[in-house]
Amino acid sequence: MKYISPLLVLLLGVSPLVSAVEHNQLSDGQLSCLLEPSKEIELSSEVSGVISELSLGRGDKVKKDQVVMKLNSRLERAALATARARVDFAKRKVKRNEVLYKKGLLSDHERDEMLTEQRLAELTASESYVRLSLRQTKSPINGVVVERLLEPGELVDDQPFLKIVSLDPLHAEVIMRSQYYGQIEKGMPISLSAEGRPEQAYDGKVNRVDPLIDAASSTFAISVEIPNKDQLLPAGLKCRVEFSPVQPASE
């Protein structure tokens, strides 16, 4: 078993099927790839309608559960107001007749009918509220808008209207020689330096080791994760990762 010096891996988003030149680089312990967003989401609406509000554009930051788009909802608001008015009327009717019921002037059947009407009115109001809530879309993640596909006044149905990416954390894929399979484990700490920032090191970890080795290139892929809370690192940078010394598997 031979000992090798600390492994430096340049990150570059390429196919696991590397060329002969890249394979020679791999023999030296180096490959290239790119820092990439950890998530990329295309938002669409649960219901169709005409967009009334969509102010976010490319580069805008969004927070999880932030409303990013609203549809025209005049009819839904009117329906909810009507349903709530019926609930109020049903409650007043039950309250007015409660005294009569206690005095025996109202039958059980009549009282049950009023209580049922109240319950049905409440369910209708609840349904109207749900229908109204579907007229707006919230972001499921913290992220940054990378593309707006529709404008206010346009019809939206099942097509996406906004693309959002998450830059915290960032991910990058590294292609490793098969002889190191089993030596790289999930959770292993790494240190990353980015293109144009050679003096700055960013701590991260291995978050995925592919369970398959590509037979054509004798390589396998791993994914590393870099916390980026302040979003100081942009996606798309070439970077380099340093691992602790790794022993290659015995031949």
Side-chain angles (χ1 to χ4, degrees):
M1 184 178 294
K2 298 180 180 180
Y3 174 81
I4 65 172
S5 58
L7 180 63
L8 294 179
V9 183
L10 283 177
L11 300 162
L12 169 84
V14 295
S15 166
L17 298 176
V18 295
S19 65
V21 174
E22 291 171 325
H23 191 79
N24 290 336
Q25 291 177 328
L26 185 60
S27 298
D28 295 332
Q30 295 186 355
L31 271 184
S32 22
C33 104
L34 295 171
L35 281 173
E36 298 176 330
S38 52
K39 293 180 182 178
E40 182 173 334
I41 296 176
E42 294 185 341
L43 293 181
S44 57
S45 176
E46 292 189 62
V47 295
S48 61
V50 176
I51 298 175
S52 62
E53 293 183 28
L54 179 57
S55 59
L56 294 172
R58 184 179 177 87
D60 289 338
K61 295 181 179 180
V62 294
K63 295 182 178 180
K64 184 177 180 180
D65 294 328
Q66 176 183 339
V67 175
V68 296
M69 187 275 293
K70 292 183 179 180
L71 298 176
N72 187 308
S73 58
R74 292 192 298 270
L75 290 177
E76 289 74 17
R77 292 181 184 278
L80 178 59
T82 300
R84 285 175 172 172
R86 287 174 176 166
V87 170
D88 291 340
F89 174 75
K91 287 182 177 180
R92 292 196 303 270
K93 185 176 180 180
V94 169
K95 186 176 181 180
R96 285 196 306 268
N97 287 276
E98 190 66 26
V99 176
L100 296 178
Y101 177 75
K102 290 179 178 179
K103 291 181 178 180
L105 301 176
L106 194 70
S107 67
D108 290 340
H109 176 71
E110 290 172 319
R111 183 173 183 270
D112 181 61
E113 280 188 338
M114 288 187 294
L115 291 174
T116 301
E117 288 175 358
Q118 177 183 329
R119 181 56 180 160
L120 291 174
E122 291 171 343
L123 291 174
T124 300
S126 178
E127 180 181 345
S128 297
Y129 177 79
V130 171
R131 291 182 182 276
L132 178 60
S133 67
L134 293 177
R135 307 297 288 180
Q136 63 182 23
T137 302
K138 298 180 180 181
S139 173
I141 61 171
N142 295 319
V144 177
V145 176
V146 294
E147 189 175 4
R148 188 166 85 176
L149 302 169
L150 294 175
E151 299 294 333
E154 291 189 286
L155 177 68
V156 61
D157 41 39
D158 58 349
Q159 80 271 34
F161 63 86
L162 205 66
K163 290 184 180 180
I164 299 175
V165 299
S166 175
L167 301 180
D168 180 29
L170 287 171
H171 284 178
E173 187 174 272
V174 185
I175 309 302
M176 305 291 299
R177 293 176 62 187
S178 60
Q179 69 187 98
Y180 296 108
Y181 194 82
Q183 307 299 311
I184 307 297
E185 298 178 351
K186 183 177 180 179
M188 178 181 290
I190 58 97
S191 179
L192 179 142
S193 58
E195 182 181 40
R197 309 179 185 191
E199 304 302 323
Q200 178 67 50
Y202 302 89
D203 294 330
K205 65 180 180 179
V206 176
N207 75 319
R208 191 193 76 242
V209 179
D210 280 1
L212 298 176
I213 295 177
D214 181 75
S217 61
S218 295
T219 61
F220 67 98
I222 69 171
S223 175
V224 298
E225 179 179 289
I226 310 298
N228 193 31
K229 183 178 180 180
D230 297 324
Q231 299 186 8
L232 300 178
L233 273 174
L237 284 181
K238 292 181 180 180
C239 49
R240 185 171 59 190
V241 166
E242 182 176 347
F243 295 86
S244 299
V246 178
Q247 295 286 349
S250 299
E251 298 182 358

